[in-house]
Amino acid sequence: MVQDSIRILQAQGHKATRPRKLVLEILEEMDRPLSPYDIQGVLRQRGKYLNHVTIYRVLDILCSLNLAHKMLSSGGFVRCSLDMAEGCHRFMVCQHCGAIREFADKELCQGENEFARNFGFHAEHHHSELAGLCSRCYRK
Amino acid sequence: MVQDSIRILQAQGHKATRPRKLVLEILEEMDRPLSPYDIQGVLRQRGKYLNHVTIYRVLDILCSLNLAHKMLSSGGFVRCSLDMAEGCHRFMVCQHCGAIREFADKELCQGENEFARNFGFHAEHHHSELAGLCSRCYRK
DNA sequence: ATCGTTGCAAAACCTTTGCACCAAT
DNA sequence: ATTGGTGCAAAGGTTTTGCAACGAT
């Protein structure tokens, strides 16, 4: 919830400002990875405005506190989504329509962790992208 | 091997040019994901030169033929590596020293495929990044 | 009142496009 | 000779930086 994130922000010495509340609201409501300009667009539709620089900075803070997570989308720009599964971010990206859907799974993480440990690597965060076709585009 | 890739290029109607050979050589030799400017830098050290636009275009072709694979690195730019494991690209990225190491595993892919199929999604390519600490940095 | 935040302008950076020249076939 | 490929210049788009004004505490 937005209130929880705000509380964490404040506990870390950050202020509870209008831009931060707005960005958190949009991220929670849309429930999919959004770019800074996506967020600005949603706000514009609602007659609200935030400078893109501000959005970048809000997202940076959210990510630094692990409240959100960045992914680099195929367009080559950043998208952010709230961190719901503690360091496990898996995305299904449809190569046809571009739809992005996020999921999480602890067993997959464990499997990856074991594999990495064979190389002496200690994994903390998991980010995975599956490129393929979503159910709708597959039928065509 | 570079020669094999060149042969595939030619079979698809592309020419075997100096820039394409050079890029393939560097990718094979360095054996880690490289950005276009990384590649240009390595060449420069050897007294050779390729325009960055050319490198971008060579990488695009290699990726379109599945000879290489693009990843969007944490710096926000593209890195490419040769495709050794047919659509399975897993990276361990050390958060401390920045080292990137690639691995592949069919079982992990199968696990992800099954999970995705529950959502009606048909996965073709896997790209995964584990952020954590490499063996050297973990000891410190 | 203080000090972190925001917005604006401008810069920096990566990537793409247009076009004339060049080179592999 | 033909056709695709390269290099250059310039544009496009995303992200970052510097700074004055603002606002949460």
Side-chain angles (χ1 to χ4, degrees):
Chain A
M1 238 214 93
V2 172
Q3 287 308 323
D4 300 326
S5 301
I6 291 291
R7 236 168 270 134
I8 294 175
L9 272 177
Q10 290 182 307
Q12 301 293 325
H14 299 284
K15 292 177 181 170
T17 63
R18 188 184 93 104
R20 290 170 184 174
K21 289 175 192 164
L22 284 175
V23 169
L24 280 167
E25 280 171 22
I26 303 293
L27 284 178
E28 178 170 307
E29 193 180 325
M30 303 303 277
D31 192 33
R32 61 188 172 82
L34 297 176
S35 76
Y37 287 100
D38 287 340
I39 294 171
Q40 196 179 48
V42 173
L43 286 168
R44 234 189 262 281
Q45 287 175 359
R46 303 180 182 183
K48 295 174 181 173
Y49 173 77
L50 286 182
N51 187 283
H52 64 108
V53 177
T54 301
I55 300 175
Y56 273 95
R57 291 194 273 226
V58 172
L59 293 175
D60 276 346
I61 289 184
L62 297 181
C63 290
S64 73
L65 297 178
N66 286 321
L67 293 172
H69 172 260
K70 276 183 191 170
M71 72 179 285
L72 290 152
S73 73
S74 55
F77 45 84
V78 161
R79 287 182 205 270
C80 285
S81 53
L82 294 181
D83 189 290
M84 310 304 273
E86 290 165 18
C88 178
H89 293 269
R90 299 180 186 279
F91 303 89
M92 298 175 283
V93 184
C94 180
Q95 291 176 311
H96 188 259
C97 71
I100 301 177
R101 187 158 170 188
E102 187 167 354
F103 67 100
D105 182 63
K106 285 196 176 179
E107 285 187 27
L108 288 174
C109 290
Q110 284 171 6
E112 284 187 316
N113 284 346
E114 283 175 29
F115 215 97
R117 225 172 294 137
N118 294 336
F119 294 94
F121 189 88
H122 294 255
E124 287 184 17
H125 298 282
H126 295 249
H127 177 112
S128 164
E129 293 182 35
L130 304 185
L133 293 175
C134 69
S135 55
R136 192 178 304 181
C137 293
Y138 186 73
R139 278 187 233 119
K140 291 173 187 171
Chain B
M1 241 215 90
V2 173
Q3 287 307 323
D4 300 326
S5 300
I6 290 291
R7 236 169 269 132
I8 294 174
L9 273 177
Q10 289 183 306
Q12 302 292 326
H14 299 284
K15 292 177 181 172
T17 64
R18 187 183 95 102
R20 289 170 186 176
K21 289 175 192 166
L22 285 175
V23 169
L24 280 167
E25 280 170 24
I26 303 293
L27 286 177
E28 179 171 306
E29 192 180 325
M30 303 304 277
D31 192 33
R32 60 188 173 83
L34 298 175
S35 76
Y37 288 98
D38 287 339
I39 294 171
Q40 196 179 48
V42 173
L43 286 169
R44 235 188 262 278
Q45 286 175 357
R46 305 182 180 181
K48 294 175 180 174
Y49 173 77
L50 285 181
N51 187 282
H52 64 107
V53 178
T54 300
I55 301 176
Y56 274 97
R57 291 195 273 227
V58 171
L59 293 175
D60 276 347
I61 289 184
L62 296 181
C63 289
S64 72
L65 298 178
N66 287 320
L67 293 173
H69 172 260
K70 273 182 193 170
M71 69 181 284
L72 291 153
S73 73
S74 55
F77 45 84
V78 162
R79 285 184 206 271
C80 285
S81 53
L82 294 181
D83 189 289
M84 311 304 274
E86 291 165 17
C88 177
H89 294 268
R90 300 181 185 277
F91 303 89
M92 298 175 284
V93 184
C94 179
Q95 291 176 310
H96 187 259
C97 71
I100 302 177
R101 186 159 171 186
E102 188 168 354
F103 67 101
D105 182 62
K106 285 195 176 178
E107 284 186 27
L108 287 174
C109 291
Q110 284 171 8
E112 284 187 318
N113 285 345
E114 282 173 30
F115 214 99
R117 224 172 295 136
N118 294 336
F119 294 93
F121 189 88
H122 294 256
E124 287 183 17
H125 299 280
H126 296 247
H127 178 112
S128 163
E129 293 182 39
L130 305 184
L133 294 175
C134 69
S135 55
R136 191 178 307 183
C137 294
Y138 185 72
R139 277 187 235 119
K140 294 174 188 170

